[in-house]
Short mmCIF file of all heavy atoms in Angstrom, two decimals:
data_model
loop_
_atom_site.label_atom_id
_atom_site.label_comp_id
_atom_site.label_asym_id
_atom_site.label_seq_id
_atom_site.Cartn_x
_atom_site.Cartn_y
_atom_site.Cartn_z
N MET A 1 -25.53 16.24 -81.54
CA MET A 1 -26.93 16.61 -81.40
C MET A 1 -27.06 17.81 -80.45
O MET A 1 -26.48 17.85 -79.40
CB MET A 1 -27.71 15.42 -80.85
CG MET A 1 -29.21 15.62 -80.91
SD MET A 1 -30.05 14.13 -80.36
CE MET A 1 -31.25 14.86 -79.26
N LYS A 2 -27.83 18.77 -80.85
CA LYS A 2 -27.98 19.98 -80.06
C LYS A 2 -29.00 19.77 -78.96
O LYS A 2 -30.04 19.18 -79.18
CB LYS A 2 -28.42 21.13 -80.97
CG LYS A 2 -28.50 22.46 -80.27
CD LYS A 2 -28.79 23.54 -81.30
CE LYS A 2 -29.22 24.84 -80.64
NZ LYS A 2 -28.15 25.49 -79.90
N THR A 3 -28.65 20.21 -77.79
CA THR A 3 -29.58 20.17 -76.68
C THR A 3 -30.25 21.52 -76.55
O THR A 3 -29.60 22.51 -76.27
CB THR A 3 -28.86 19.82 -75.36
OG1 THR A 3 -28.16 18.60 -75.55
CG2 THR A 3 -29.85 19.67 -74.24
N TRP A 4 -31.52 21.56 -76.80
CA TRP A 4 -32.22 22.85 -76.80
C TRP A 4 -32.48 23.33 -75.38
O TRP A 4 -32.49 24.53 -75.13
CB TRP A 4 -33.55 22.72 -77.55
CG TRP A 4 -33.35 22.29 -78.97
CD1 TRP A 4 -33.54 21.04 -79.48
CD2 TRP A 4 -32.88 23.08 -80.06
NE1 TRP A 4 -33.23 21.02 -80.81
CE2 TRP A 4 -32.83 22.25 -81.19
CE3 TRP A 4 -32.50 24.42 -80.17
CZ2 TRP A 4 -32.41 22.72 -82.43
CZ3 TRP A 4 -32.10 24.88 -81.41
CH2 TRP A 4 -32.05 24.04 -82.52
N HIS A 5 -32.71 22.38 -74.50
CA HIS A 5 -33.05 22.76 -73.13
C HIS A 5 -31.82 23.31 -72.41
O HIS A 5 -30.77 22.67 -72.37
CB HIS A 5 -33.59 21.52 -72.38
CG HIS A 5 -34.08 21.82 -71.01
ND1 HIS A 5 -33.78 21.04 -69.93
CD2 HIS A 5 -34.85 22.84 -70.54
CE1 HIS A 5 -34.34 21.56 -68.85
NE2 HIS A 5 -35.00 22.64 -69.19
N CYS A 6 -31.94 24.52 -71.89
CA CYS A 6 -30.88 25.12 -71.08
C CYS A 6 -29.57 25.32 -71.85
O CYS A 6 -28.50 25.11 -71.30
CB CYS A 6 -30.62 24.27 -69.83
SG CYS A 6 -32.01 24.21 -68.71
N ASP A 7 -29.66 25.69 -73.12
CA ASP A 7 -28.43 25.97 -73.85
C ASP A 7 -28.14 27.47 -73.91
O ASP A 7 -27.22 27.91 -74.59
CB ASP A 7 -28.50 25.39 -75.27
CG ASP A 7 -29.55 26.08 -76.12
OD1 ASP A 7 -30.38 26.83 -75.56
OD2 ASP A 7 -29.54 25.88 -77.34
N GLY A 8 -28.93 28.27 -73.19
CA GLY A 8 -28.69 29.71 -73.16
C GLY A 8 -29.37 30.44 -74.29
O GLY A 8 -29.29 31.65 -74.38
N ASP A 9 -30.02 29.71 -75.16
CA ASP A 9 -30.72 30.29 -76.30
C ASP A 9 -32.22 30.11 -76.11
O ASP A 9 -32.67 29.02 -75.80
CB ASP A 9 -30.31 29.56 -77.58
CG ASP A 9 -29.52 30.44 -78.51
OD1 ASP A 9 -29.64 31.67 -78.40
OD2 ASP A 9 -28.79 29.89 -79.34
N ASP A 10 -32.97 31.17 -76.32
CA ASP A 10 -34.42 31.07 -76.19
C ASP A 10 -35.00 30.50 -77.47
O ASP A 10 -35.34 31.21 -78.40
CB ASP A 10 -34.99 32.47 -75.90
CG ASP A 10 -36.50 32.43 -75.75
OD1 ASP A 10 -37.08 31.33 -75.72
OD2 ASP A 10 -37.10 33.52 -75.66
N ASP A 11 -35.08 29.18 -77.53
CA ASP A 11 -35.53 28.53 -78.76
C ASP A 11 -37.05 28.50 -78.90
O ASP A 11 -37.58 28.49 -80.00
CB ASP A 11 -34.99 27.09 -78.82
CG ASP A 11 -33.48 27.07 -78.80
OD1 ASP A 11 -32.87 27.57 -79.74
OD2 ASP A 11 -32.92 26.56 -77.82
N CYS A 12 -37.74 28.48 -77.77
CA CYS A 12 -39.20 28.44 -77.81
C CYS A 12 -39.80 29.84 -78.03
O CYS A 12 -40.99 29.96 -78.25
CB CYS A 12 -39.76 27.90 -76.49
SG CYS A 12 -39.38 26.17 -76.21
N LEU A 13 -38.95 30.85 -77.96
CA LEU A 13 -39.36 32.25 -78.10
C LEU A 13 -40.21 32.74 -76.94
O LEU A 13 -40.57 33.90 -76.89
CB LEU A 13 -40.10 32.48 -79.43
CG LEU A 13 -39.30 32.11 -80.68
CD1 LEU A 13 -40.11 32.40 -81.94
CD2 LEU A 13 -37.96 32.83 -80.73
N ASP A 14 -40.56 31.86 -76.03
CA ASP A 14 -41.22 32.32 -74.80
C ASP A 14 -40.38 31.97 -73.58
O ASP A 14 -40.80 32.13 -72.45
CB ASP A 14 -42.63 31.74 -74.68
CG ASP A 14 -42.62 30.22 -74.61
OD1 ASP A 14 -41.53 29.63 -74.62
OD2 ASP A 14 -43.71 29.63 -74.55
N GLY A 15 -39.19 31.45 -73.83
CA GLY A 15 -38.26 31.19 -72.74
C GLY A 15 -38.50 29.90 -71.98
O GLY A 15 -37.76 29.59 -71.04
N THR A 16 -39.50 29.12 -72.37
CA THR A 16 -39.83 27.94 -71.58
C THR A 16 -38.74 26.88 -71.64
O THR A 16 -38.60 26.09 -70.71
CB THR A 16 -41.16 27.32 -72.05
OG1 THR A 16 -41.12 27.14 -73.46
CG2 THR A 16 -42.32 28.21 -71.68
N ASP A 17 -37.95 26.84 -72.72
CA ASP A 17 -36.90 25.83 -72.78
C ASP A 17 -35.70 26.23 -71.93
O ASP A 17 -34.79 25.43 -71.72
CB ASP A 17 -36.46 25.57 -74.22
CG ASP A 17 -35.84 26.80 -74.87
OD1 ASP A 17 -36.45 27.87 -74.79
OD2 ASP A 17 -34.74 26.67 -75.43
N GLU A 18 -35.70 27.46 -71.45
CA GLU A 18 -34.60 27.92 -70.60
C GLU A 18 -35.02 28.02 -69.13
O GLU A 18 -34.32 28.60 -68.33
CB GLU A 18 -34.08 29.27 -71.10
CG GLU A 18 -33.54 29.23 -72.52
CD GLU A 18 -32.42 28.23 -72.69
OE1 GLU A 18 -31.57 28.13 -71.79
OE2 GLU A 18 -32.39 27.53 -73.71
N ARG A 19 -36.19 27.45 -68.82
CA ARG A 19 -36.64 27.45 -67.43
C ARG A 19 -36.15 26.19 -66.74
O ARG A 19 -35.80 25.21 -67.40
CB ARG A 19 -38.17 27.49 -67.38
CG ARG A 19 -38.71 28.90 -67.54
CD ARG A 19 -40.22 28.91 -67.31
NE ARG A 19 -40.83 30.08 -67.96
CZ ARG A 19 -42.11 30.14 -68.30
NH1 ARG A 19 -42.91 29.14 -68.06
NH2 ARG A 19 -42.60 31.23 -68.87
N ASP A 20 -36.18 26.22 -65.42
CA ASP A 20 -35.81 25.06 -64.63
C ASP A 20 -34.40 24.57 -64.95
O ASP A 20 -34.13 23.37 -65.00
CB ASP A 20 -36.81 23.91 -64.83
CG ASP A 20 -38.22 24.33 -64.48
OD1 ASP A 20 -38.38 25.07 -63.49
OD2 ASP A 20 -39.15 23.94 -65.19
N CYS A 21 -33.53 25.51 -65.19
CA CYS A 21 -32.14 25.16 -65.45
C CYS A 21 -31.34 25.28 -64.15
O CYS A 21 -31.72 26.04 -63.26
CB CYS A 21 -31.54 26.12 -66.48
SG CYS A 21 -32.39 26.08 -68.07
N PRO A 22 -30.25 24.54 -64.04
CA PRO A 22 -29.39 24.68 -62.87
C PRO A 22 -28.92 26.12 -62.73
O PRO A 22 -28.80 26.84 -63.73
CB PRO A 22 -28.22 23.75 -63.17
CG PRO A 22 -28.75 22.77 -64.16
CD PRO A 22 -29.78 23.51 -64.97
N THR A 23 -28.61 26.52 -61.52
CA THR A 23 -28.24 27.91 -61.27
C THR A 23 -26.80 28.17 -61.70
O THR A 23 -26.04 27.24 -61.97
CB THR A 23 -28.41 28.25 -59.79
OG1 THR A 23 -27.78 27.24 -59.02
CG2 THR A 23 -29.88 28.32 -59.42
N ASN A 24 -26.45 29.43 -61.71
CA ASN A 24 -25.12 29.82 -62.13
C ASN A 24 -24.04 29.23 -61.23
O ASN A 24 -24.26 29.07 -60.04
CB ASN A 24 -24.99 31.35 -62.09
CG ASN A 24 -25.89 32.01 -63.11
OD1 ASN A 24 -26.60 31.35 -63.85
ND2 ASN A 24 -25.87 33.32 -63.13
N PRO A 25 -22.87 28.95 -61.79
CA PRO A 25 -21.76 28.53 -60.95
C PRO A 25 -21.42 29.67 -59.98
O PRO A 25 -21.52 30.83 -60.35
CB PRO A 25 -20.61 28.32 -61.94
CG PRO A 25 -21.25 28.25 -63.29
CD PRO A 25 -22.54 29.01 -63.21
N PRO A 26 -21.01 29.34 -58.75
CA PRO A 26 -20.71 30.38 -57.76
C PRO A 26 -19.62 31.32 -58.28
O PRO A 26 -18.61 30.87 -58.81
CB PRO A 26 -20.22 29.60 -56.55
CG PRO A 26 -20.63 28.20 -56.77
CD PRO A 26 -20.80 28.00 -58.25
N GLY A 27 -19.83 32.60 -58.12
CA GLY A 27 -18.81 33.57 -58.49
C GLY A 27 -18.75 33.89 -59.97
O GLY A 27 -17.95 34.70 -60.39
N SER A 28 -19.58 33.24 -60.75
CA SER A 28 -19.55 33.52 -62.18
C SER A 28 -20.76 34.34 -62.58
O SER A 28 -21.88 34.03 -62.19
CB SER A 28 -19.52 32.22 -62.98
OG SER A 28 -19.66 32.49 -64.36
N PRO A 29 -20.55 35.38 -63.35
CA PRO A 29 -21.68 36.17 -63.82
C PRO A 29 -22.44 35.47 -64.94
O PRO A 29 -23.55 35.85 -65.28
CB PRO A 29 -21.03 37.45 -64.34
CG PRO A 29 -19.65 37.04 -64.73
CD PRO A 29 -19.26 35.91 -63.81
N CYS A 30 -21.84 34.43 -65.50
CA CYS A 30 -22.47 33.73 -66.61
C CYS A 30 -23.13 32.46 -66.10
O CYS A 30 -22.70 31.87 -65.13
CB CYS A 30 -21.43 33.35 -67.66
SG CYS A 30 -20.46 34.74 -68.27
N SER A 31 -24.20 32.05 -66.76
CA SER A 31 -24.82 30.79 -66.41
C SER A 31 -23.98 29.64 -66.94
O SER A 31 -23.09 29.84 -67.76
CB SER A 31 -26.23 30.72 -66.98
OG SER A 31 -26.20 30.30 -68.32
N PHE A 32 -24.27 28.44 -66.47
CA PHE A 32 -23.46 27.29 -66.87
C PHE A 32 -23.61 26.98 -68.36
O PHE A 32 -22.82 26.26 -68.94
CB PHE A 32 -23.82 26.06 -66.02
CG PHE A 32 -25.02 25.32 -66.55
CD1 PHE A 32 -24.88 24.06 -67.12
CD2 PHE A 32 -26.28 25.87 -66.46
CE1 PHE A 32 -25.99 23.39 -67.60
CE2 PHE A 32 -27.38 25.22 -66.94
CZ PHE A 32 -27.24 23.97 -67.51
N THR A 33 -24.63 27.55 -68.98
CA THR A 33 -24.84 27.32 -70.40
C THR A 33 -24.06 28.30 -71.25
O THR A 33 -24.06 28.21 -72.46
CB THR A 33 -26.32 27.48 -70.78
OG1 THR A 33 -26.72 28.82 -70.50
CG2 THR A 33 -27.19 26.51 -69.99
N GLN A 34 -23.40 29.25 -70.58
CA GLN A 34 -22.77 30.32 -71.32
C GLN A 34 -21.26 30.29 -71.24
O GLN A 34 -20.68 29.75 -70.30
CB GLN A 34 -23.27 31.68 -70.80
CG GLN A 34 -24.73 31.92 -71.07
CD GLN A 34 -25.20 33.23 -70.51
OE1 GLN A 34 -24.96 33.55 -69.36
NE2 GLN A 34 -25.88 34.01 -71.34
N PHE A 35 -20.66 30.87 -72.24
CA PHE A 35 -19.22 31.05 -72.26
C PHE A 35 -18.92 32.46 -71.79
O PHE A 35 -19.55 33.42 -72.23
CB PHE A 35 -18.68 30.85 -73.68
CG PHE A 35 -17.24 31.24 -73.85
CD1 PHE A 35 -16.23 30.40 -73.42
CD2 PHE A 35 -16.90 32.45 -74.43
CE1 PHE A 35 -14.89 30.75 -73.58
CE2 PHE A 35 -15.56 32.81 -74.60
CZ PHE A 35 -14.57 31.96 -74.16
N GLN A 36 -17.97 32.57 -70.84
CA GLN A 36 -17.61 33.89 -70.35
C GLN A 36 -16.43 34.42 -71.14
O GLN A 36 -15.38 33.78 -71.22
CB GLN A 36 -17.27 33.83 -68.86
CG GLN A 36 -17.04 35.21 -68.27
CD GLN A 36 -16.70 35.15 -66.78
OE1 GLN A 36 -16.63 34.09 -66.20
NE2 GLN A 36 -16.46 36.29 -66.20
N CYS A 37 -16.60 35.57 -71.73
CA CYS A 37 -15.51 36.18 -72.49
C CYS A 37 -14.36 36.53 -71.55
O CYS A 37 -14.55 36.73 -70.35
CB CYS A 37 -15.99 37.45 -73.19
SG CYS A 37 -17.33 37.14 -74.36
N ALA A 38 -13.16 36.60 -72.12
CA ALA A 38 -11.97 36.86 -71.31
C ALA A 38 -12.05 38.21 -70.61
O ALA A 38 -11.42 38.41 -69.57
CB ALA A 38 -10.72 36.77 -72.18
N ASN A 39 -12.82 39.12 -71.16
CA ASN A 39 -12.94 40.44 -70.52
C ASN A 39 -13.84 40.39 -69.28
O ASN A 39 -13.98 41.39 -68.59
CB ASN A 39 -13.44 41.48 -71.53
CG ASN A 39 -14.83 41.16 -72.06
OD1 ASN A 39 -15.60 40.43 -71.46
ND2 ASN A 39 -15.15 41.71 -73.22
N ARG A 40 -14.44 39.21 -69.03
CA ARG A 40 -15.26 38.98 -67.84
C ARG A 40 -16.47 39.90 -67.78
O ARG A 40 -17.10 40.04 -66.74
CB ARG A 40 -14.44 39.12 -66.55
CG ARG A 40 -13.28 38.15 -66.48
CD ARG A 40 -12.54 38.24 -65.15
NE ARG A 40 -13.34 37.76 -64.05
CZ ARG A 40 -13.49 36.49 -63.73
NH1 ARG A 40 -12.89 35.57 -64.41
NH2 ARG A 40 -14.22 36.14 -62.71
N ARG A 41 -16.81 40.54 -68.85
CA ARG A 41 -17.97 41.42 -68.85
C ARG A 41 -19.09 40.88 -69.71
O ARG A 41 -20.23 41.31 -69.58
CB ARG A 41 -17.57 42.83 -69.36
CG ARG A 41 -16.82 43.65 -68.34
CD ARG A 41 -16.55 45.07 -68.83
NE ARG A 41 -15.53 45.12 -69.86
CZ ARG A 41 -15.78 45.35 -71.14
NH1 ARG A 41 -17.00 45.58 -71.54
NH2 ARG A 41 -14.80 45.38 -72.00
N GLN A 42 -18.76 39.93 -70.58
CA GLN A 42 -19.75 39.44 -71.52
C GLN A 42 -20.01 37.96 -71.32
O GLN A 42 -19.08 37.20 -71.02
CB GLN A 42 -19.28 39.66 -72.95
CG GLN A 42 -19.34 41.11 -73.42
CD GLN A 42 -18.80 41.22 -74.83
OE1 GLN A 42 -17.60 41.19 -75.04
NE2 GLN A 42 -19.70 41.32 -75.79
N CYS A 43 -21.24 37.57 -71.50
CA CYS A 43 -21.61 36.17 -71.51
C CYS A 43 -22.30 35.89 -72.84
O CYS A 43 -23.19 36.62 -73.24
CB CYS A 43 -22.55 35.84 -70.37
SG CYS A 43 -21.88 36.17 -68.73
N ILE A 44 -21.89 34.83 -73.48
CA ILE A 44 -22.52 34.47 -74.75
C ILE A 44 -22.92 33.01 -74.68
O ILE A 44 -22.34 32.23 -73.93
CB ILE A 44 -21.57 34.70 -75.94
CG1 ILE A 44 -20.32 33.81 -75.81
CG2 ILE A 44 -21.17 36.16 -76.06
CD1 ILE A 44 -19.47 33.79 -77.06
N PRO A 45 -23.94 32.62 -75.43
CA PRO A 45 -24.31 31.20 -75.45
C PRO A 45 -23.12 30.35 -75.87
O PRO A 45 -22.33 30.76 -76.73
CB PRO A 45 -25.42 31.14 -76.50
CG PRO A 45 -25.97 32.53 -76.56
CD PRO A 45 -24.81 33.45 -76.28
N LYS A 46 -22.99 29.18 -75.25
CA LYS A 46 -21.86 28.31 -75.57
C LYS A 46 -21.82 27.96 -77.05
O LYS A 46 -20.77 27.70 -77.62
CB LYS A 46 -21.93 27.03 -74.73
CG LYS A 46 -21.37 27.24 -73.33
CD LYS A 46 -20.72 25.96 -72.81
CE LYS A 46 -19.97 26.23 -71.50
NZ LYS A 46 -20.59 25.64 -70.35
N SER A 47 -22.99 27.95 -77.67
CA SER A 47 -23.04 27.60 -79.10
C SER A 47 -22.37 28.66 -79.96
O SER A 47 -22.09 28.43 -81.12
CB SER A 47 -24.49 27.40 -79.54
OG SER A 47 -25.27 28.54 -79.27
N PHE A 48 -22.14 29.84 -79.38
CA PHE A 48 -21.50 30.91 -80.13
C PHE A 48 -19.98 30.80 -80.07
O PHE A 48 -19.29 31.50 -80.79
CB PHE A 48 -21.90 32.28 -79.57
CG PHE A 48 -23.30 32.70 -79.97
CD1 PHE A 48 -24.20 31.77 -80.47
CD2 PHE A 48 -23.70 34.02 -79.85
CE1 PHE A 48 -25.49 32.16 -80.82
CE2 PHE A 48 -24.98 34.42 -80.20
CZ PHE A 48 -25.88 33.49 -80.69
N GLN A 49 -19.50 29.92 -79.17
CA GLN A 49 -18.05 29.77 -79.04
C GLN A 49 -17.53 28.95 -80.21
O GLN A 49 -18.07 27.91 -80.57
CB GLN A 49 -17.73 29.06 -77.72
CG GLN A 49 -16.24 29.03 -77.42
CD GLN A 49 -15.92 28.25 -76.16
OE1 GLN A 49 -16.80 27.64 -75.57
NE2 GLN A 49 -14.67 28.26 -75.76
N CYS A 50 -16.50 29.46 -80.85
CA CYS A 50 -15.87 28.76 -81.97
C CYS A 50 -16.84 28.55 -83.14
O CYS A 50 -16.77 27.52 -83.81
CB CYS A 50 -15.28 27.43 -81.53
SG CYS A 50 -13.99 27.57 -80.30
N ASP A 51 -17.73 29.51 -83.36
CA ASP A 51 -18.64 29.38 -84.49
C ASP A 51 -18.14 30.15 -85.70
O ASP A 51 -18.82 30.24 -86.72
CB ASP A 51 -20.06 29.82 -84.12
CG ASP A 51 -20.14 31.32 -83.84
OD1 ASP A 51 -19.09 31.96 -83.70
OD2 ASP A 51 -21.27 31.83 -83.75
N GLY A 52 -16.95 30.73 -85.58
CA GLY A 52 -16.36 31.43 -86.71
C GLY A 52 -16.69 32.91 -86.76
O GLY A 52 -16.15 33.64 -87.58
N ALA A 53 -17.58 33.35 -85.89
CA ALA A 53 -17.92 34.77 -85.82
C ALA A 53 -17.53 35.31 -84.45
O ALA A 53 -17.72 34.64 -83.44
CB ALA A 53 -19.41 34.96 -86.05
N VAL A 54 -16.98 36.50 -84.42
CA VAL A 54 -16.56 37.10 -83.16
C VAL A 54 -17.77 37.63 -82.41
O VAL A 54 -18.51 38.46 -82.93
CB VAL A 54 -15.54 38.23 -83.42
CG1 VAL A 54 -15.25 38.99 -82.13
CG2 VAL A 54 -14.25 37.67 -83.99
N ASP A 55 -17.98 37.13 -81.22
CA ASP A 55 -19.11 37.58 -80.40
C ASP A 55 -18.65 38.37 -79.18
O ASP A 55 -19.35 39.24 -78.70
CB ASP A 55 -19.95 36.39 -79.96
CG ASP A 55 -20.53 35.66 -81.16
OD1 ASP A 55 -21.40 36.23 -81.83
OD2 ASP A 55 -20.10 34.53 -81.43
N CYS A 56 -17.45 38.05 -78.67
CA CYS A 56 -16.88 38.81 -77.57
C CYS A 56 -16.15 40.03 -78.13
O CYS A 56 -15.53 39.95 -79.20
CB CYS A 56 -15.87 37.96 -76.78
SG CYS A 56 -16.60 36.59 -75.89
N ASP A 57 -16.24 41.15 -77.42
CA ASP A 57 -15.52 42.34 -77.87
C ASP A 57 -14.04 42.09 -78.02
O ASP A 57 -13.37 42.72 -78.82
CB ASP A 57 -15.74 43.48 -76.86
CG ASP A 57 -17.15 44.05 -76.96
OD1 ASP A 57 -17.81 43.80 -77.98
OD2 ASP A 57 -17.58 44.74 -76.03
N ASP A 58 -13.51 41.15 -77.21
CA ASP A 58 -12.08 40.86 -77.26
C ASP A 58 -11.76 39.61 -78.09
O ASP A 58 -10.65 39.12 -78.07
CB ASP A 58 -11.53 40.70 -75.84
CG ASP A 58 -12.28 39.60 -75.08
OD1 ASP A 58 -13.11 38.91 -75.69
OD2 ASP A 58 -12.01 39.44 -73.88
N SER A 59 -12.74 39.10 -78.80
CA SER A 59 -12.57 37.94 -79.69
C SER A 59 -12.22 36.66 -78.94
O SER A 59 -11.84 35.67 -79.56
CB SER A 59 -11.48 38.19 -80.75
OG SER A 59 -11.71 39.38 -81.42
N SER A 60 -12.34 36.68 -77.61
CA SER A 60 -11.88 35.51 -76.85
C SER A 60 -12.72 34.26 -77.12
O SER A 60 -12.28 33.15 -76.83
CB SER A 60 -11.87 35.82 -75.35
OG SER A 60 -13.14 36.26 -74.91
N ASP A 61 -13.92 34.44 -77.68
CA ASP A 61 -14.73 33.25 -77.96
C ASP A 61 -14.23 32.50 -79.17
O ASP A 61 -14.62 31.36 -79.41
CB ASP A 61 -16.20 33.63 -78.16
CG ASP A 61 -16.43 34.53 -79.37
OD1 ASP A 61 -15.77 35.57 -79.45
OD2 ASP A 61 -17.25 34.17 -80.22
N GLU A 62 -13.35 33.13 -79.94
CA GLU A 62 -12.82 32.46 -81.12
C GLU A 62 -11.33 32.13 -80.95
O GLU A 62 -10.66 31.77 -81.90
CB GLU A 62 -13.01 33.34 -82.37
CG GLU A 62 -14.47 33.65 -82.67
CD GLU A 62 -15.28 32.40 -82.98
OE1 GLU A 62 -14.73 31.46 -83.57
OE2 GLU A 62 -16.47 32.35 -82.60
N VAL A 63 -10.83 32.27 -79.72
CA VAL A 63 -9.43 31.94 -79.45
C VAL A 63 -9.37 30.54 -78.87
O VAL A 63 -10.21 30.15 -78.06
CB VAL A 63 -8.81 32.96 -78.45
CG1 VAL A 63 -7.41 32.53 -78.04
CG2 VAL A 63 -8.78 34.34 -79.09
N GLY A 64 -8.39 29.78 -79.29
CA GLY A 64 -8.23 28.43 -78.77
C GLY A 64 -9.12 27.43 -79.47
O GLY A 64 -9.28 26.30 -79.01
N CYS A 65 -9.71 27.84 -80.58
CA CYS A 65 -10.55 26.93 -81.34
C CYS A 65 -9.69 26.17 -82.35
O CYS A 65 -8.82 26.74 -82.98
CB CYS A 65 -11.63 27.70 -82.10
SG CYS A 65 -12.62 28.77 -81.05
N CYS A 66 -9.95 24.91 -82.47
CA CYS A 66 -9.17 24.09 -83.39
C CYS A 66 -10.05 23.60 -84.52
O CYS A 66 -11.15 23.10 -84.31
CB CYS A 66 -8.57 22.89 -82.66
SG CYS A 66 -7.39 23.35 -81.39
N LYS A 67 -9.55 23.78 -85.72
CA LYS A 67 -10.26 23.32 -86.90
C LYS A 67 -9.24 22.73 -87.86
O LYS A 67 -8.26 23.38 -88.17
CB LYS A 67 -10.97 24.50 -87.57
CG LYS A 67 -12.48 24.37 -87.59
CD LYS A 67 -13.07 25.57 -88.28
CE LYS A 67 -14.41 25.94 -87.65
NZ LYS A 67 -14.96 27.15 -88.20
N TYR A 68 -9.47 21.55 -88.30
CA TYR A 68 -8.56 20.93 -89.25
C TYR A 68 -7.12 20.95 -88.74
O TYR A 68 -6.20 21.29 -89.45
CB TYR A 68 -8.65 21.62 -90.63
CG TYR A 68 -10.04 21.79 -91.12
CD1 TYR A 68 -10.58 23.05 -91.29
CD2 TYR A 68 -10.85 20.68 -91.37
CE1 TYR A 68 -11.89 23.22 -91.72
CE2 TYR A 68 -12.16 20.84 -91.79
CZ TYR A 68 -12.67 22.12 -91.97
OH TYR A 68 -13.97 22.27 -92.39
N ASN A 69 -6.97 20.65 -87.44
CA ASN A 69 -5.66 20.60 -86.80
C ASN A 69 -4.97 21.96 -86.74
O ASN A 69 -3.78 22.05 -86.52
CB ASN A 69 -4.72 19.60 -87.49
CG ASN A 69 -5.23 18.18 -87.33
OD1 ASN A 69 -5.80 17.83 -86.29
ND2 ASN A 69 -5.05 17.37 -88.35
N PHE A 70 -5.72 23.01 -86.97
CA PHE A 70 -5.15 24.34 -86.88
C PHE A 70 -5.80 25.06 -85.70
O PHE A 70 -7.02 25.17 -85.64
CB PHE A 70 -5.40 25.12 -88.17
CG PHE A 70 -4.93 26.56 -88.11
CD1 PHE A 70 -3.59 26.86 -88.23
CD2 PHE A 70 -5.85 27.59 -87.93
CE1 PHE A 70 -3.16 28.18 -88.18
CE2 PHE A 70 -5.42 28.91 -87.87
CZ PHE A 70 -4.07 29.20 -88.00
N CYS A 71 -4.97 25.50 -84.77
CA CYS A 71 -5.49 26.17 -83.58
C CYS A 71 -5.09 27.64 -83.58
O CYS A 71 -3.94 27.97 -83.89
CB CYS A 71 -4.96 25.51 -82.30
SG CYS A 71 -5.48 23.79 -82.15
N ILE A 72 -6.04 28.48 -83.24
CA ILE A 72 -5.77 29.91 -83.18
C ILE A 72 -5.03 30.23 -81.88
O ILE A 72 -5.49 29.80 -80.83
CB ILE A 72 -7.08 30.72 -83.24
CG1 ILE A 72 -7.81 30.40 -84.53
CG2 ILE A 72 -6.81 32.22 -83.13
CD1 ILE A 72 -9.22 30.97 -84.59
CA1 CA B 101 -32.72 26.77 -75.57
CA1 CA B 102 -18.29 33.21 -81.84
#
């Protein structure tokens, strides 16, 4: 089940579901709802990790994903 609140995606289109979220982990440029790309320059919503589409410039969001016992 998807949790809409604080998932890094603006689902309400006015940002209200992304309010009152816990703050970023110390030292991380990404919020706790986000996946940090290996290049440390990009943050993407966690839901974008292992979704089959490359979102990080370095493809790190699709590395280490396992599907049908096959891991990249
Ligand atoms: Ca959301
Ligand atoms: Ca992706």
Side-chain angles (χ1 to χ4, degrees):
M1 191 176 133
K2 184 173 166 68
T3 305
W4 301 102
H5 185 225
C6 296
D7 66 348
D9 247 338
D10 180 8
D11 300 295
C12 293
L13 302 181
D14 62 2
T16 50
D17 63 311
E18 299 302 320
R19 278 187 202 158
D20 302 321
C21 300
T23 49
N24 294 359
S28 173
C30 305
S31 84
F32 84 110
T33 62
Q34 293 178 311
F35 171 78
Q36 186 180 1
C37 300
N39 62 22
R40 300 184 68 81
R41 284 185 287 108
Q42 286 178 283
C43 300
I44 62 170
K46 278 213 171 110
S47 56
F48 284 16
Q49 188 184 6
C50 298
D51 67 348
V54 172
D55 299 292
C56 292
D57 286 343
D58 57 6
S59 308
S60 56
D61 63 306
E62 299 298 326
V63 174
C65 305
C66 296
K67 243 181 214 175
Y68 311 116
N69 295 324
F70 175 77
C71 298
I72 301 171

